């Protein structure tokens, strides 16, 4: 399993989340890691969610990133159905994403969801965190992550003027 190319699952509650979650997929792509992206809603398409989790477990998906807005229960329901680590991305909503953030983060003890920032920053960081999880077992991915971090040193100016 260690040598098999790993996959990251990326799911979102609506097609309307794609504009933000594209940043997540683009980040994963920039590390040349496989990902499997779908629109799956915990309340609109619960059967699709169950099927996706069964398939993900069968193919050895290492991490699932779940994004949703509003009463954002997608990440929590996903985490309830699998032991694959679930990373939650709250999507901005009518309440500016505070509702999504709290719905995703406030999981009762026992079924954890690692929760990221609202919107684009969370979408990108969830991808980077998934990459970091994979890094431990895949030295080439670890090298790419170190290279990515090293670029900040070069890009950030030492002086503000
Ligand atoms: C959530 O409701 C989705 O994740 C989305 O962020 C939000 C609004 O969905 P749409 O009405 O745009 O389909 O389930």
């Amino acid at each position: 399993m260690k040598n098999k190319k790993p996959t990251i699952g990326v799911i979102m509650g609506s097609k309307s989340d794609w504009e933000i979650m594209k940043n997540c997929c683009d980040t994963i792509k920039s590390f040349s890691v496989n990902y499997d992206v779908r629109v799956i809603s915990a309340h609109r398409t619960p059967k699709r969610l169950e099927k996706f989790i069964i398939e993900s477990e069968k193919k050895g998906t290492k991490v699932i990133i779940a994004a949703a807005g509003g009463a954002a229960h997608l990440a929590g329901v996903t985490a309830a159905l699998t032991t694959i680590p679930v990373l939650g991305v709250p999507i901005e909503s009518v309440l500016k994403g505070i509702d999504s953030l709290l719905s995703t983060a406030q999981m009762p003890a026992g079924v954890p969801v690692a929760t990221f920032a609202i919107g684009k920053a969370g979408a990108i960081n969830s991808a980077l965190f998934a990459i970091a999880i994979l890094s431990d077992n895949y030295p080439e991915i670890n090298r790419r992550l170190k290279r990515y971090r090293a670029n900040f040193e070069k890009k950030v100016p030492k002086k503000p003027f």
Side-chain angles (χ1 to χ4, degrees):
M1 193 59 104
K2 230 181 169 180
N3 295 327
K4 208 179 139 196
K5 271 194 144 196
T7 296
I8 297 171
V10 180
I11 57 178
M12 62 207 78
S14 170
K15 191 176 185 301
S16 65
D17 299 329
W18 175 241
E19 200 187 321
I20 290 299
M21 290 312 288
K22 191 177 178 306
N23 297 288
C24 171
C25 293
D26 287 347
T27 305
I28 298 172
K29 214 191 297 178
S30 73
F31 284 87
S32 303
V33 168
N34 290 338
Y35 62 94
D36 184 4
V37 59
R38 315 271 181 93
V39 173
I40 297 177
S41 162
H43 58 280
R44 291 172 179 151
T45 66
K47 288 193 183 120
R48 206 186 286 180
L49 177 59
E50 266 187 275
K51 193 165 171 269
F52 175 78
I53 288 167
I54 291 167
E55 281 169 17
S56 299
E57 288 184 344
K58 262 194 206 143
K59 69 176 168 197
T61 294
K62 303 292 181 209
V63 189
I64 296 175
I65 297 171
H73 38 230
L74 180 62
V77 177
T78 303
L81 292 169
T82 184
T83 53
I84 297 172
V86 176
L87 315 186
V89 180
I91 300 289
E92 202 170 319
S93 63
V94 284
L95 299 181
K96 307 254 179 243
I98 295 296
D99 44 354
S100 326
L101 174 64
L102 296 178
S103 305
T104 307
Q106 288 294 102
M107 287 297 289
V111 181
V113 168
T115 306
F116 290 82
I118 300 165
K120 185 176 173 183
I124 293 172
N125 281 346
S126 66
L128 292 172
F129 199 86
I131 295 293
I133 292 173
L134 297 180
S135 276
D136 198 33
N137 281 315
Y138 298 87
E140 184 47 42
I141 295 175
N142 186 247
R143 270 191 287 279
R144 287 178 208 146
L145 184 57
K146 285 190 171 136
R147 214 180 302 140
Y148 175 91
R149 292 284 184 91
N151 274 337
F152 287 136
E153 276 295 331
K154 289 179 210 145
K155 280 185 184 160
V156 178
K158 290 201 172 126
K159 290 190 175 181
F161 48 85

